[in-house]
mmCIF file of all heavy atoms in Angstrom:
data_model
loop_
_atom_site.group_PDB
_atom_site.id
_atom_site.type_symbol
_atom_site.label_atom_id
_atom_site.label_comp_id
_atom_site.label_asym_id
_atom_site.label_seq_id
_atom_site.Cartn_x
_atom_site.Cartn_y
_atom_site.Cartn_z
ATOM 1 N N THR A 1 96.438 95.815 108.808
ATOM 2 C CA THR A 1 96.997 96.462 107.618
ATOM 3 C C THR A 1 95.978 97.392 106.974
ATOM 4 O O THR A 1 96.287 98.547 106.648
ATOM 5 C CB THR A 1 97.445 95.408 106.590
ATOM 6 O OG1 THR A 1 98.454 94.573 107.174
ATOM 7 C CG2 THR A 1 97.993 96.060 105.330
ATOM 8 N N ALA A 2 94.749 96.909 106.789
ATOM 9 C CA ALA A 2 93.712 97.711 106.125
ATOM 10 C C ALA A 2 93.389 98.964 106.921
ATOM 11 O O ALA A 2 93.310 100.068 106.360
ATOM 12 C CB ALA A 2 92.454 96.876 105.937
ATOM 13 N N ARG A 3 93.211 98.815 108.218
ATOM 14 C CA ARG A 3 92.816 99.972 109.038
ATOM 15 C C ARG A 3 93.965 100.963 109.202
ATOM 16 O O ARG A 3 93.739 102.172 109.284
ATOM 17 C CB ARG A 3 92.276 99.484 110.392
ATOM 18 C CG ARG A 3 90.960 98.718 110.236
ATOM 19 C CD ARG A 3 90.409 98.142 111.533
ATOM 20 N NE ARG A 3 89.302 97.233 111.245
ATOM 21 C CZ ARG A 3 88.037 97.627 111.056
ATOM 22 N NH1 ARG A 3 87.729 98.918 111.152
ATOM 23 N NH2 ARG A 3 87.093 96.741 110.788
ATOM 24 N N THR A 4 95.185 100.454 109.228
ATOM 25 C CA THR A 4 96.339 101.356 109.275
ATOM 26 C C THR A 4 96.467 102.123 107.973
ATOM 27 O O THR A 4 96.672 103.344 107.966
ATOM 28 C CB THR A 4 97.632 100.567 109.550
ATOM 29 O OG1 THR A 4 97.515 99.859 110.783
ATOM 30 C CG2 THR A 4 98.832 101.499 109.625
ATOM 31 N N LEU A 5 96.337 101.411 106.850
ATOM 32 C CA LEU A 5 96.421 102.075 105.547
ATOM 33 C C LEU A 5 95.319 103.112 105.398
ATOM 34 O O LEU A 5 95.572 104.242 104.954
ATOM 35 C CB LEU A 5 96.325 101.044 104.428
ATOM 36 C CG LEU A 5 96.381 101.612 102.996
ATOM 37 C CD1 LEU A 5 97.726 102.268 102.725
ATOM 38 C CD2 LEU A 5 96.101 100.513 101.963
ATOM 39 N N GLY A 6 94.089 102.749 105.772
ATOM 40 C CA GLY A 6 92.983 103.698 105.666
ATOM 41 C C GLY A 6 93.212 104.951 106.486
ATOM 42 O O GLY A 6 92.966 106.080 106.022
ATOM 43 N N LYS A 7 93.697 104.784 107.693
ATOM 44 C CA LYS A 7 93.973 105.929 108.575
ATOM 45 C C LYS A 7 95.031 106.842 107.963
ATOM 46 O O LYS A 7 94.886 108.075 107.938
ATOM 47 C CB LYS A 7 94.431 105.405 109.933
ATOM 48 C CG LYS A 7 94.783 106.472 110.959
ATOM 49 C CD LYS A 7 95.090 105.823 112.311
ATOM 50 C CE LYS A 7 95.480 106.858 113.363
ATOM 51 N NZ LYS A 7 96.815 107.425 113.124
ATOM 52 N N VAL A 8 96.098 106.220 107.446
ATOM 53 C CA VAL A 8 97.186 107.002 106.856
ATOM 54 C C VAL A 8 96.732 107.679 105.566
ATOM 55 O O VAL A 8 97.137 108.812 105.263
ATOM 56 C CB VAL A 8 98.419 106.111 106.611
ATOM 57 C CG1 VAL A 8 99.503 106.874 105.862
ATOM 58 C CG2 VAL A 8 98.974 105.593 107.937
ATOM 59 N N MET A 9 95.871 107.033 104.803
ATOM 60 C CA MET A 9 95.365 107.649 103.572
ATOM 61 C C MET A 9 94.541 108.896 103.878
ATOM 62 O O MET A 9 94.600 109.884 103.151
ATOM 63 C CB MET A 9 94.546 106.635 102.759
ATOM 64 C CG MET A 9 95.401 105.547 102.135
ATOM 65 S SD MET A 9 94.477 104.342 101.147
ATOM 66 C CE MET A 9 94.313 105.219 99.594
ATOM 67 N N MET A 10 93.777 108.848 104.967
ATOM 68 C CA MET A 10 93.028 110.043 105.360
ATOM 69 C C MET A 10 93.969 111.141 105.851
ATOM 70 O O MET A 10 93.824 112.312 105.506
ATOM 71 C CB MET A 10 91.994 109.689 106.424
ATOM 72 C CG MET A 10 90.791 108.931 105.882
ATOM 73 S SD MET A 10 89.434 108.753 107.074
ATOM 74 C CE MET A 10 90.140 107.525 108.192
ATOM 75 N N GLU A 11 94.966 110.757 106.645
ATOM 76 C CA GLU A 11 95.919 111.743 107.168
ATOM 77 C C GLU A 11 96.721 112.400 106.054
ATOM 78 O O GLU A 11 97.046 113.585 106.123
ATOM 79 C CB GLU A 11 96.878 111.059 108.146
ATOM 80 C CG GLU A 11 96.241 110.627 109.453
ATOM 81 C CD GLU A 11 97.191 109.834 110.330
ATOM 82 O OE1 GLU A 11 98.307 109.480 109.862
ATOM 83 O OE2 GLU A 11 96.825 109.556 111.481
ATOM 84 N N SER A 12 97.032 111.619 105.012
ATOM 85 C CA SER A 12 97.851 112.147 103.923
ATOM 86 C C SER A 12 97.029 112.912 102.886
ATOM 87 O O SER A 12 97.597 113.493 101.954
ATOM 88 C CB SER A 12 98.590 110.992 103.233
ATOM 89 O OG SER A 12 97.677 110.131 102.570
ATOM 90 N N GLY A 13 95.710 112.880 103.009
ATOM 91 C CA GLY A 13 94.852 113.575 102.057
ATOM 92 C C GLY A 13 94.492 112.742 100.849
ATOM 93 O O GLY A 13 93.844 113.240 99.921
ATOM 94 N N SER A 14 94.869 111.480 100.831
ATOM 95 C CA SER A 14 94.516 110.615 99.700
ATOM 96 C C SER A 14 93.030 110.277 99.683
ATOM 97 O O SER A 14 92.484 109.961 98.640
ATOM 98 C CB SER A 14 95.315 109.304 99.767
ATOM 99 O OG SER A 14 96.668 109.534 99.494
ATOM 100 N N ALA A 15 92.409 110.278 100.851
ATOM 101 C CA ALA A 15 90.985 109.961 100.954
ATOM 102 C C ALA A 15 90.345 110.841 102.017
ATOM 103 O O ALA A 15 90.984 111.189 103.010
ATOM 104 C CB ALA A 15 90.800 108.496 101.320
ATOM 105 N N SER A 16 89.086 111.187 101.798
ATOM 106 C CA SER A 16 88.379 111.995 102.796
ATOM 107 C C SER A 16 87.777 111.122 103.882
ATOM 108 O O SER A 16 87.815 111.451 105.057
ATOM 109 C CB SER A 16 87.293 112.847 102.132
ATOM 110 O OG SER A 16 86.406 112.027 101.393
ATOM 111 N N THR A 17 87.229 109.971 103.485
ATOM 112 C CA THR A 17 86.709 109.014 104.454
ATOM 113 C C THR A 17 87.058 107.600 103.983
ATOM 114 O O THR A 17 87.248 107.359 102.787
ATOM 115 C CB THR A 17 85.176 109.101 104.613
ATOM 116 O OG1 THR A 17 84.553 108.737 103.378
ATOM 117 C CG2 THR A 17 84.729 110.486 105.041
ATOM 118 N N VAL A 18 87.149 106.682 104.931
ATOM 119 C CA VAL A 18 87.400 105.278 104.606
ATOM 120 C C VAL A 18 86.477 104.422 105.464
ATOM 121 O O VAL A 18 86.398 104.603 106.679
ATOM 122 C CB VAL A 18 88.859 104.868 104.881
ATOM 123 C CG1 VAL A 18 89.074 103.399 104.520
ATOM 124 C CG2 VAL A 18 89.834 105.740 104.099
ATOM 125 N N THR A 19 85.760 103.508 104.827
ATOM 126 C CA THR A 19 84.929 102.552 105.560
ATOM 127 C C THR A 19 85.489 101.150 105.333
ATOM 128 O O THR A 19 86.186 100.905 104.343
ATOM 129 C CB THR A 19 83.463 102.604 105.102
ATOM 130 O OG1 THR A 19 83.397 102.361 103.684
ATOM 131 C CG2 THR A 19 82.843 103.966 105.406
ATOM 132 N N TYR A 20 85.176 100.244 106.256
ATOM 133 C CA TYR A 20 85.751 98.902 106.213
ATOM 134 C C TYR A 20 84.643 97.854 106.284
ATOM 135 O O TYR A 20 83.635 98.051 106.949
ATOM 136 C CB TYR A 20 86.712 98.698 107.388
ATOM 137 C CG TYR A 20 87.743 99.789 107.513
ATOM 138 C CD1 TYR A 20 87.519 100.891 108.347
ATOM 139 C CD2 TYR A 20 88.940 99.741 106.800
ATOM 140 C CE1 TYR A 20 88.448 101.905 108.458
ATOM 141 C CE2 TYR A 20 89.878 100.753 106.902
ATOM 142 C CZ TYR A 20 89.632 101.843 107.739
ATOM 143 O OH TYR A 20 90.552 102.852 107.845
ATOM 144 N N ASP A 21 84.887 96.737 105.606
ATOM 145 C CA ASP A 21 83.933 95.631 105.626
ATOM 146 C C ASP A 21 84.697 94.338 105.857
ATOM 147 O O ASP A 21 85.480 93.921 105.004
ATOM 148 C CB ASP A 21 83.174 95.578 104.295
ATOM 149 C CG ASP A 21 82.081 94.511 104.278
ATOM 150 O OD1 ASP A 21 81.766 93.965 105.357
ATOM 151 O OD2 ASP A 21 81.541 94.229 103.187
ATOM 152 N N ASN A 22 84.517 93.736 107.030
ATOM 153 C CA ASN A 22 85.162 92.456 107.332
ATOM 154 C C ASN A 22 84.296 91.299 106.855
ATOM 155 O O ASN A 22 83.114 91.239 107.162
ATOM 156 C CB ASN A 22 85.393 92.297 108.832
ATOM 157 C CG ASN A 22 86.522 93.160 109.357
ATOM 158 O OD1 ASN A 22 86.316 94.326 109.688
ATOM 159 N ND2 ASN A 22 87.707 92.597 109.434
ATOM 160 N N LYS A 23 84.896 90.391 106.086
ATOM 161 C CA LYS A 23 84.193 89.196 105.620
ATOM 162 C C LYS A 23 85.182 88.041 105.655
ATOM 163 O O LYS A 23 85.932 87.802 104.702
ATOM 164 C CB LYS A 23 83.662 89.410 104.200
ATOM 165 C CG LYS A 23 82.902 88.224 103.609
ATOM 166 C CD LYS A 23 81.579 88.002 104.295
ATOM 167 C CE LYS A 23 80.775 86.906 103.613
ATOM 168 N NZ LYS A 23 79.492 86.659 104.306
ATOM 169 N N GLY A 24 85.215 87.321 106.786
ATOM 170 C CA GLY A 24 86.189 86.254 106.945
ATOM 171 C C GLY A 24 85.725 84.927 106.388
ATOM 172 O O GLY A 24 84.546 84.715 106.126
ATOM 173 N N GLY A 25 86.689 84.020 106.219
ATOM 174 C CA GLY A 25 86.372 82.659 105.800
ATOM 175 C C GLY A 25 87.096 82.220 104.558
ATOM 176 O O GLY A 25 87.337 83.019 103.648
ATOM 177 N N ALA A 26 87.479 80.940 104.532
ATOM 178 C CA ALA A 26 88.077 80.293 103.350
ATOM 179 C C ALA A 26 89.328 81.014 102.864
ATOM 180 O O ALA A 26 89.520 81.220 101.670
ATOM 181 C CB ALA A 26 87.046 80.193 102.223
#
């Protein structure tokens, strides 16, 4: 979901770049 949203936000012009941080647990 996060990576799809980030990709679409860049394609739509909502964001110029998107970075991701995975932190799993609990």
Side-chain angles (χ1 to χ4, degrees):
T1 300
R3 293 177 190 276
T4 302
L5 179 64
K7 179 174 179 288
V8 174
M9 289 181 82
M10 286 190 287
E11 290 174 352
S12 67
S14 290
S16 56
T17 64
V18 180
T19 57
Y20 308 94
D21 184 11
N22 286 86
K23 180 69 175 178

